Amino acid sequence: MGHLDAAVEKMEQRLPIELFQIVERTNQEVDLRHPSHLRSLHRPEIGALDPGIDDENRKDVLNDLLWTLYSKFEAIAEGHRAVHDVVVGITKREGFRNRNNLMGGFNEMWKLYQSEMRSLLHDYLATDGDVSTRLGRMPTADANVFQRNPRDKNKRVFRLAEINQKSTDLALQQEELDQILKASVPGLVSKSQRRSALGNNNSVPATDGPVAGHKLLIDPNVFNISLLLPPSLSFLQRLKDIVPPDSGIAISTLTSFLDDFLVNVFYPQLEETVVELCTQSFMELDAFQKASQWAQHAARPIFKGTCTFLALVQAFCKLLDTIPQDQAHSELIISQIVAYYNKCYDWYRGVVARPRMQDENDLLRLKPAASMAENGELRANCEELWNGDNSDQDELFRKEISLLLSANQETPFQPADIISDRRSVSALCLLHTSMTWLSTRLAAMRHITPEPSTDPTSKGRWTLLSLQTSSASSSPAIHLPLTSATASSFDQVLSSIRALSLTTLYTLHLDIRAGTIHMLSRTLAAPYLLTHPTQEPDPSVLQLNSDLLSFSDTLTTLLPRAAQRFITSGLAALIDSAIIALVPTLLTGAMNAPGCARMQLNILVLQQNLKTLEPRAALVRAAEYFE
């Protein structure tokens, strides 16, 4: 019994090393059970942009590691409880005066557990896989737990090679250290091992000591928080039943430290990280390019940036199911949706902007089709054509033709006013389908929840809401929790996204008509006083046919059938009316019989080409006009 204090002290001295080795062995066991090529480890993508967010293999790895490790921690704690009870019984029986010194083992063990749990949380949340937090140190107030601050390379780095091995002070200090280690923990590290470690100055530091980090089994990811918290909380709840009442540990602190990590460390950095990831998703160079795997997400091609952005929003909503509901998080998502809408709207205006002339100011001018699609009578007419039935379609087409011809008469359409290149047309088609798809998916995530509790003690306390979050996370559907106030903001941004989608569709609808009127104007401005008959139509007619077919091919590839019909329907009526309306102002020269025959040939060629767009197309009035 005279050596009880020495035995307890030895246990406390060995505990950090043994605990580290248990974590290391567990890490190695899990690493062997799960092949590395299935875990997407060290992929070049940023964690949250990695399509492996929902990879079941990665979830299995992290769950295996945590549940296995925490079960070992629990067994260690039960062993320490047995030792504690024995020590308490001996000290009471023998009447030891320094019994408090012999009963502090649980406090030391709890500190080590907290250090390891903090390290796990930091390691698997940090997007760059920083292992410095494995030492159990909390980050500074201005440090982001999801990013590693680069080392200041101007600062001198300490190297063992710079130690003067012949220094008298070093020899004395080494001798004192040897005596302390020998007296306190005999056999911990042999003298020969310490000498060899000191002598090998240029070797890489070993990774089997308590100051080294553990190997990461999966890529760090901010959304791993949903996998990290449940096993951690379950372990802490079980630990409450093991901690002896006279250990000096307040039972409430067993779970409060995890709440403190969420409130004071995780939440403040989460907003910055989500904003950065969302911004990156639509700032990439190929964000407004067609997604290579669009067929896995939508019925028609969409932007790559839209796929990535929605994946981030969905992942964040899944994360919200595992933490206390706070409308600040929902407002954060809404703000990012607004930011993405603004980016798409600015990009749209850049596509449909009119080239600046040297004598013009710096104000952005939109092409006529885009300008007319935003507001005015033509916008209202397009809305009726898109949303109405076919009963008054002919009347709406006649009204549209009249308004377009009036606009052309006031300011004739020029080549710079037309969205002629196929790349711009494809971009607008992708924008329409992307915004339609995004608004539909976001609307399906809309979910009104009861007003959150006003109790300040429960705000941000994940451990008090474990039952609620567990039931929420079991639902397969992805929801964005909203209150009546945040639902209003959410509905407004959805309306804006739908409006942008429709504006893009109306722009395509009006642009093909403005281009048609412009090409007909060029056709009628050509000379028709010919010396001999010709069998070739006017070059501008052939160009118009080519433009219409190219436009139609792009629409067929990228747009749904309803949108295709909306854009191409009524073109025959437009050409039939425009030819007659433009003759008085453009056909100013004389026309002889060969010229009239060429005009009839132009009309016939146009009519045959239009039948590929509208099977019943017929330019009856224009043909009769030139008979």
Side-chain angles (χ1 to χ4, degrees), residues 447-612:
H447 180 66
I448 303 296
T449 59
E451 293 292 335
S453 172
T454 57
D455 183 5
T457 62
S458 63
K459 184 177 181 180
R461 315 313 289 183
W462 189 85
T463 56
L464 298 179
L465 300 176
S466 58
L467 294 178
Q468 176 182 345
T469 56
S470 297
S471 61
S473 61
S474 62
S475 175
I478 301 176
H479 295 301
L480 174 61
L482 301 168
T483 62
S484 56
T486 53
S488 176
S489 301
F490 182 75
D491 293 339
Q492 289 178 4
V493 68
L494 281 189
S495 299
S496 299
I497 294 175
R498 295 189 184 105
L500 177 58
S501 174
L502 291 176
T503 299
T504 306
L505 184 65
Y506 299 161
T507 298
L508 291 169
H509 175 88
L510 296 173
D511 181 75
I512 192 174
R513 285 156 174 76
T516 300
I517 293 175
H518 168 67
M519 295 304 295
L520 290 177
S521 299
R522 289 177 54 182
T523 301
L524 292 172
Y528 284 91
L529 189 60
L530 306 180
T531 57
H532 57 275
T534 179
Q535 301 298 322
E536 295 291 334
D538 193 272
S540 58
V541 171
L542 297 178
Q543 182 63 43
L544 176 57
N545 283 343
S546 176
D547 292 345
L548 291 176
L549 289 177
S550 175
F551 207 104
S552 177
D553 291 342
T554 304
L555 300 182
T556 303
T557 304
L558 300 176
L559 291 183
R561 285 292 304 165
Q564 296 175 36
R565 289 193 297 269
F566 170 75
I567 293 174
T568 58
S569 296
L571 282 176
L574 171 69
I575 294 175
D576 201 25
S577 300
I579 290 176
I580 298 175
L582 294 173
V583 166
T585 57
L586 297 176
L587 193 60
T588 56
M591 175 182 286
N592 56 11
C596 185
R598 186 178 193 184
M599 192 63 205
Q600 291 176 342
L601 177 62
N602 289 339
I603 295 173
L604 179 61
V605 171
L606 286 172
Q607 179 176 281
Q608 292 301 115
N609 185 71
L610 285 172
K611 288 184 180 295
T612 61

Side-chain angles (χ1 to χ4, degrees), residues 56-68:
E56 290 298 328
N57 291 320
R58 300 173 66 188
K59 291 182 179 180
D60 292 342
V61 171
L62 200 53
N63 283 330
D64 189 5
L65 172 65
L66 294 177
W67 289 109
T68 304

